[in-house]
Amino acid sequence: MKRIAISFIFVLAVVALSAQNVPQTVNFSAVLRDTTGNIMADTQVRLRLSFLEGSAEGQAIYVTEKTETTNSNGFVSFLLNRGMTSSGAYTFANIPWKNGDYWLKVDYKTDDMNDYRTWGVLELTSNFYSFMAGKANKLEGIDFYVENPEDGDALVYNSETGRFEAQALTPPRAPALSTVLEAGNDAGGMNISNLAAPVDPNDIVTKEYADSVYHRIVTAITNINCSYNGHEYVDLGLPSGTMWAKCNVGAATPEDRGDFYAYGEIYPNTNYSTSTYTGEQGDFLPPEADVASVFWGGGWHIPTIAEMDELRFYCLWEWNDFGYIVTGPNGCSIFFPVYNNENYYCGDYFYIRSSSVNYVLRGTCNLLEVMVGVGAYVAYPIRPVFIPENNN
């Protein structure tokens, strides 16, 4: 296997101080050659770009991956932040470029490689900081001053200071009830009272009150201790209707990490290696090699890649000192616990295996990522799922 020598070119998308909106993207290009200098044409390569803060060994605040195939000249090119999945403390559009001192780590992997290799770490040039052009405080001779603005503020010209300054808009006031009655509308002879806390049959309520009641009802219904085949689950309101178990296999509570299983093995073990591995060797597990299906029964199964991705993209992931709270579109949550490993930054990681040998979800305090190409013999926790319509 030849080590790859890669030449990278960065082209900043059109940025001008007079533009109304600075495009939040950068054209990333690369030319692939092997170590003998030969062009690597028609070669598929997966690139992982990690933006580091502070130094070449700094913390990764934005990580994104892209698979491309080189053309006949060994050339690949794509726009960052366009149709790419990412992880980290920031989105690309929210990276605080004004702080400066950012670095880019480039990792690569081809089809004949099991793991990523690091090509190098680049210090970002001033081109990247041109994104701050969209936040200039003086345009075309017009001076404006913004201090501690709030959502909904507008720029209002102050003739005394000669500046446009941020000012809260005063919404138009609704007419008083007495004004309405004087206009001849007696509201059917009923009084309006207790908008925020109705008690009488003829009381009306605000939209805020009605929304709060609706939220309490939905939360109460979806957080009932529902169970299927004796195992509790939570309806997160996901588009596919997938129900996620509250606990890992072998765990008594959501905070318990449970048992660890190698891919396709249905019993936990204490020694995991290639010599002791006896599991299923295929890319996807049949029911008889699925721990959840074998021991929980019915439609319970280890999550597929699609079900894992739905959880990643449709839910809010919030870290605390003990793991991730994952909240679905309907406001209900499940919890993924971590286990301590002093060799890792932050000391704690959680892992959840999918039904594909090449997909494991991993997370810690500053990172949520998909691990690919992991060994089948490596053991991870299992969080079962089922879809009700498949069990009728």
Side-chain angles (χ1 to χ4, degrees):
M1 180 177 65
K2 296 182 179 179
R3 184 176 178 86
I4 300 174
I6 310 180
S7 300
F8 291 101
I9 306 168
F10 289 95
V11 180
L12 187 63
V14 179
V15 173
L17 290 177
S18 60
Q20 292 182 348
N21 294 293
V22 177
Q24 296 297 318
T25 186
V26 172
N27 192 333
F28 179 91
S29 302
V31 177
L32 274 69
R33 301 175 184 269
D34 60 24
T35 53
T36 63
N38 295 320
I39 289 293
M40 298 183 66
D42 303 317
T43 301
Q44 186 177 80
V45 61
R46 186 163 183 84
L47 297 169
R48 180 172 67 194
L49 309 180
S50 304
F51 286 76
L52 312 179
E53 185 174 45
S55 71
E57 293 79 31
Q59 177 179 331
I61 62 169
Y62 175 80
V63 181
T64 187
E65 298 181 42
K66 182 72 170 178
T67 299
E68 289 288 330
T69 301
T70 62
N71 64 13
S72 59
N73 297 314
F75 179 79
V76 294
S77 180
F78 56 86
L79 292 177
L80 287 177
N81 196 33
R82 294 289 174 85
M84 302 170 64
T85 60
S86 64
S87 60
Y90 297 97
T91 64
F92 186 80
N94 292 331
I95 295 176
W97 299 109
K98 65 180 180 180
N99 295 341
D101 200 11
Y102 290 102
W103 299 70
L104 178 64
K105 178 183 177 185
V106 181
D107 300 314
Y108 67 92
K109 181 173 68 174
T110 57
D111 290 340
D112 59 348
M113 298 168 59
N114 292 326
D115 299 304
Y116 279 103
R117 286 186 178 179
T118 298
W119 173 82
V121 182
L122 310 171
E123 183 174 9
L124 297 183
T125 66
S126 57
N127 283 344
F128 275 83
Y129 306 115
S130 297
F131 286 117
M132 289 305 298
K135 301 180 180 179
N137 67 350
K138 193 167 185 177
L139 299 174
E140 301 293 337
I142 300 176
D143 194 9
F144 59 87
Y145 178 70
V146 180
E147 180 177 358
N148 299 323
E150 301 288 342
D151 286 347
D153 283 359
L155 289 176
V156 179
Y157 183 72
N158 187 330
S159 60
E160 295 182 0
T161 63
R163 290 174 168 175
F164 283 88
E165 300 175 354
Q167 179 176 308
L169 291 176
T170 303
R173 298 184 62 183
L177 178 60
S178 57
T179 303
V180 176
L181 296 176
E182 289 174 0
N185 184 350
D186 64 0
M190 296 188 295
N191 295 323
I192 300 176
S193 62
N194 294 323
L195 297 180
V199 292
D200 295 328
N202 61 336
D203 287 341
I204 64 173
V205 299
T206 62
K207 183 180 184 300
E208 180 181 5
Y209 178 84
D211 288 345
S212 68
V213 172
Y214 173 78
H215 178 73
R216 289 198 301 270
I217 293 173
V218 170
T219 301
I221 293 175
T222 54
N223 275 340
I224 293 174
N225 290 332
C226 299
S227 66
Y228 177 70
N229 274 19
H231 299 279
E232 293 185 350
Y233 65 87
V234 176
D235 182 357
L236 298 171
L238 297 171
S240 68
T242 301
M243 305 297 171
W244 281 78
K246 283 189 175 181
C247 303
N248 293 342
V249 174
T253 67
E255 293 76 22
D256 182 4
R257 70 184 189 184
D259 296 323
F260 283 33
Y261 295 86
Y263 185 78
E265 293 187 348
I266 60 174
Y267 294 103
N269 204 338
T270 57
N271 180 21
Y272 297 97
S273 66
T274 54
S275 61
T276 61
Y277 178 66
T278 60
E280 179 72 32
Q281 296 293 323
D283 290 334
F284 295 95
L285 288 175
E288 61 271 17
D290 185 317
V291 174
S293 179
V294 171
F295 292 105
W296 285 29
W300 286 110
H301 60 272
I302 297 176
T304 64
I305 292 179
E307 289 164 341
M308 296 278 260
D309 284 343
E310 182 183 53
L311 192 73
R312 290 172 58 208
F313 299 130
Y314 279 89
C315 295
L316 174 66
W317 291 71
E318 298 177 284
W319 172 266
N320 64 25
D321 291 337
F322 306 101
Y324 267 103
I325 300 171
V326 182
T327 304
N330 64 4
C332 295
S333 303
I334 57 176
F335 181 73
F336 286 119
V338 299
Y339 68 95
N340 186 267
N341 187 327
E342 296 179 354
N343 295 323
Y344 289 113
Y345 175 74
C346 295
D348 296 294
Y349 269 79
F350 89 85
Y351 297 84
I352 294 295
R353 182 181 282 287
S354 79
S355 61
S356 169
V357 69
N358 290 316
Y359 188 118
V360 173
L361 187 62
R362 180 176 79 166
T364 186
C365 62
N366 63 353
L367 183 66
L368 181 66
E369 64 178 347
V370 172
M371 299 172 60
V372 295
V374 296
Y377 68 90
V378 182
Y380 297 105
I382 302 295
R383 179 64 63 94
V385 300
F386 80 93
I387 302 178
E389 65 183 26
N390 294 340
N391 303 311
N392 294 333

